[in-house]
Amino acid sequence: MTSKSASFFVPKWPAPANVKSYITQREYGFSEGGYASNNLALHVDDEPESVAKNRSQLESAITCDSIQWLDQVHGRKIIEAQSDGFTRTADGCYSRVVNQACAVLTADCLPVLLCDKSGTQVAAVHAGWRGLSQGIVSSAVDLFDCDVDDLLVYLGPAISSEHFEVGIDVLEAFFESAKTELQLSSISRSFIPSLKHPMKFQADIYVLAKAELNMLGVTEIYGGESCTYSEAERFYSYRRDGQTGRFASLIWLT
């Protein structure tokens, strides 16, 4: 949905009817310059007043009572979302409360949305390469009471492998975190040697997330088609622009 009051799209995945999910886009906000225009992050040196207006606009456009905003630190901590208005330090949040939205902010890192098929719990996770290699996706899955066969996962917009060049330290971090031979094999396929720079690799963050989910037994995985770097009109990208804003991925129960 894009209108003069909000800009977001609804992920295409078979979530239960009472599970709502939105991913914002960068149009129709109040921020200026490199943050133009719908930046939702306070930590990127944008004008706080502009961010507050963007957040207020979002809150008015969606049908939930409260959004849990996070101070993200590229870790694996996931907290329970609260409606008290406090920003909490974590890289993910979950909720079993109706109309309590979970949100993560990204601009190349991978936003991961999760819910159970019965529509009783949701979670949102910020999964950069550090969080992924530390097992934040596993932490999110562990929070659900249901069997892994009853989990649905949506991989939101992130940087594509074409534009995500990393060093050997990133490759080694994932190799060290692998739990099974199958996961190790999937990780190996996620890193393609760069044709431009020696000892550099093109990393596929989508495949890395799927490798961990598959290792856990999660198979119903959707999304993963966008590239934040190449879709400049829709998404912020830190790798592309440096100083830039963040878009939000949200999920909640109704």
Side-chain angles (χ1 to χ4, degrees), residues 5-157:
S5 63
S7 179
F8 52 81
F9 71 92
V10 178
K12 294 181 179 179
W13 61 322
N18 70 312
V19 173
K20 304 300 180 184
S21 54
Y22 287 166
I23 296 177
T24 69
Q25 300 175 115
R26 63 180 303 175
E27 302 172 289
Y28 302 126
F30 298 90
S31 298
E32 300 178 347
Y35 307 108
S37 62
N38 191 29
N39 168 47
L40 293 160
L42 285 167
H43 70 284
V44 295
D45 294 328
D46 190 6
E47 292 294 333
E49 295 83 1
S50 299
V51 178
K53 288 181 180 179
N54 292 336
R55 289 187 175 187
S56 177
Q57 178 176 256
L58 174 63
E59 290 163 359
S60 298
I62 63 178
T63 57
C64 69
D65 297 332
S66 175
I67 300 173
Q68 175 68 72
W69 298 106
L70 301 174
D71 179 14
Q72 298 164 187
V73 293
H74 295 276
R76 59 174 294 173
K77 182 180 179 181
I78 302 174
I79 55 95
E80 184 173 4
Q82 304 291 329
S83 59
D84 53 16
F86 285 103
T87 297
R88 290 174 165 79
T89 301
D91 283 274
C93 53
Y94 69 93
S95 181
R96 299 183 180 90
V97 178
V98 170
N99 290 328
Q100 172 61 63
C102 300
V104 289
L105 298 167
T106 56
D108 284 337
C109 291
L110 175 64
V112 183
L113 303 179
L114 306 94
C115 71
D116 59 356
K117 293 179 180 179
S118 58
T120 64
Q121 183 178 341
V122 295
V125 171
H126 160 243
W129 74 261
R130 291 179 180 84
L132 272 176
S133 66
Q134 294 171 26
I136 191 169
V137 171
S138 295
S139 296
V141 170
D142 287 345
L143 289 169
F144 283 80
D145 296 329
C146 65
D147 188 85
V148 290
D149 290 338
D150 292 322
L151 276 181
L152 301 172
V153 176
Y154 184 86
L155 305 180

Side-chain angles (χ1 to χ4, degrees), residues 119-246:
T120 64
Q121 183 178 341
V122 295
V125 171
H126 160 243
W129 74 261
R130 291 179 180 84
L132 272 176
S133 66
Q134 294 171 26
I136 191 169
V137 171
S138 295
S139 296
V141 170
D142 287 345
L143 289 169
F144 283 80
D145 296 329
C146 65
D147 188 85
V148 290
D149 290 338
D150 292 322
L151 276 181
L152 301 172
V153 176
Y154 184 86
L155 305 180
I159 192 168
S160 68
S161 60
E162 178 184 358
H163 301 289
F164 191 30
E165 187 178 82
V166 300
I168 196 168
D169 58 321
V170 178
L171 174 67
E172 290 174 342
F174 280 96
F175 278 174
E176 291 171 3
S177 69
K179 301 293 191 302
T180 66
E181 289 296 325
L182 183 60
Q183 186 185 13
L184 185 62
S185 177
S186 296
I187 290 171
S188 297
R189 292 194 300 271
S190 303
F191 291 89
I192 300 173
S194 172
L195 298 178
K196 298 178 181 179
H197 305 106
M199 302 303 291
K200 296 287 187 178
F201 302 86
Q202 304 301 135
D204 193 324
I205 199 167
Y206 289 126
V207 174
L208 288 166
K210 289 177 182 177
E212 182 164 358
L213 287 163
N214 291 159
M215 182 271 296
L216 296 168
V218 180
T219 58
E220 295 201 44
I221 307 167
Y222 304 88
E225 300 93 6
S226 298
C227 174
T228 49
Y229 188 103
S230 61
E231 297 179 60
E233 292 185 1
R234 298 180 69 197
F235 304 117
Y236 297 106
S237 169
Y238 181 80
R239 286 244 172 173
R240 183 187 63 231
D241 300 324
Q243 188 177 51
T244 190
R246 302 291 187 273

